[in-house]
Amino acid sequence: NQKELIVDSRVGFQPSKIEEVYPNPQNIKLIEPSDFIRYKITKKLLLFNWNQKVRRRTDFNVFKGSRLIFPVRPLKKDAFHIKGILLKDEILHKDNIISIKLKEANGNGIKIGKEHLGLLNSKLFSFYLFHISSQWGVGDGKRESIRNIDTQRLPFKLFTIEEQEEIAKNVSNV
């Protein structure tokens, strides 16, 4: 039942304009919107030193565990279609990418799988998000972005094992 699900969405960190590196570097993979297409990473990810000054540091748990990510600004070249991927590894992203994790109403996390990725990348979800978003496609620059509050309204649902297998099979064929 989708009413029992909470969509927890967060943007990544905001880099600092002035690089101030601290001792003991923590090099972690960093993904950018240009590093992936719908369903898969297409480029080798660069390392980012997490042990440095950033303008807005995001809770590190956002970058761990099973989650969906997609750019905050779907592009015209993507026909304004959400371009999402499924991540399980520890990978950083900046504030130009939104991360989604799902929880039950009682706070228990739900393992995100290919079935959720298939929904996120569907034309239905793109259409839905475009129409509930007060910002997407409005104006130039930062106003064109999808906000966390908009993604929290996405109608993800709990799947039966049979539904999971069917959707995962279709996603694997993409």
Side-chain angles (χ1 to χ4, degrees):
N1 187 342
Q2 91 186 47
K3 290 183 180 178
E4 298 168 0
L5 283 182
I6 296 168
V7 178
D8 184 19
S9 62
R10 301 274 187 260
V11 294
F13 70 95
Q14 187 175 27
S16 177
K17 292 184 180 178
I18 301 166
E19 189 174 330
E20 187 176 322
V21 180
Y22 306 126
N24 305 320
Q26 277 183 280
N27 292 321
I28 302 171
K29 289 180 182 175
L30 172 71
I31 193 163
E32 297 275 4
S34 60
D35 294 335
F36 61 96
I37 59 173
R38 204 167 283 113
Y39 296 105
K40 64 182 176 181
I41 296 173
T42 57
K43 296 182 181 173
K44 182 176 174 19
L45 302 181
L46 300 177
L47 295 177
F48 179 84
N49 180 6
W50 183 243
N51 194 20
Q52 67 175 283
K53 181 180 180 179
V54 295
R55 279 185 71 187
R56 188 181 66 232
R57 188 170 292 272
T58 303
D59 180 348
F60 197 75
N61 287 323
V62 169
F63 308 116
K64 300 187 320 187
S66 177
R67 65 208 181 277
L68 302 171
I69 66 164
F70 64 96
V72 298
R73 288 188 185 98
L75 303 173
K76 287 181 184 173
K77 74 175 186 170
D78 296 319
F80 294 105
H81 192 147
I82 298 296
K83 175 180 84 167
I85 60 170
L86 174 65
L87 291 180
K88 296 179 182 175
D89 299 329
E90 194 173 271
I91 298 175
L92 300 173
H93 60 86
K94 296 179 188 174
D95 60 351
N96 58 353
I97 291 178
I98 294 178
S99 170
I100 290 178
K101 293 184 178 183
L102 300 176
K103 296 180 193 174
E104 293 181 78
N106 63 13
N108 292 336
I110 294 172
K111 184 179 179 223
I112 293 182
K114 290 180 180 177
E115 63 278 10
H116 299 104
L117 178 60
L119 282 176
L120 180 66
N121 282 333
S122 71
K123 289 182 180 179
L124 174 64
F125 264 42
S126 292
F127 177 84
Y128 180 79
L129 193 53
F130 182 80
H131 286 283
I132 66 165
S133 174
S134 63
Q135 300 289 323
W136 184 9
V138 177
D140 296 320
K142 93 178 209 180
R143 292 238 180 257
E144 295 176 341
S145 61
I146 297 171
R147 302 172 310 155
N148 283 340
I149 190 76
D150 299 324
T151 61
Q152 291 167 356
R153 297 182 187 134
L154 286 172
F156 285 103
K157 64 174 266 176
L158 292 172
F159 292 98
T160 65
I161 296 296
E162 294 80 18
E163 289 172 323
Q164 288 177 22
E165 290 171 354
E166 180 67 24
I167 294 171
K169 182 176 78 174
N170 290 332
V171 168
S172 294
N173 293 333
V174 172

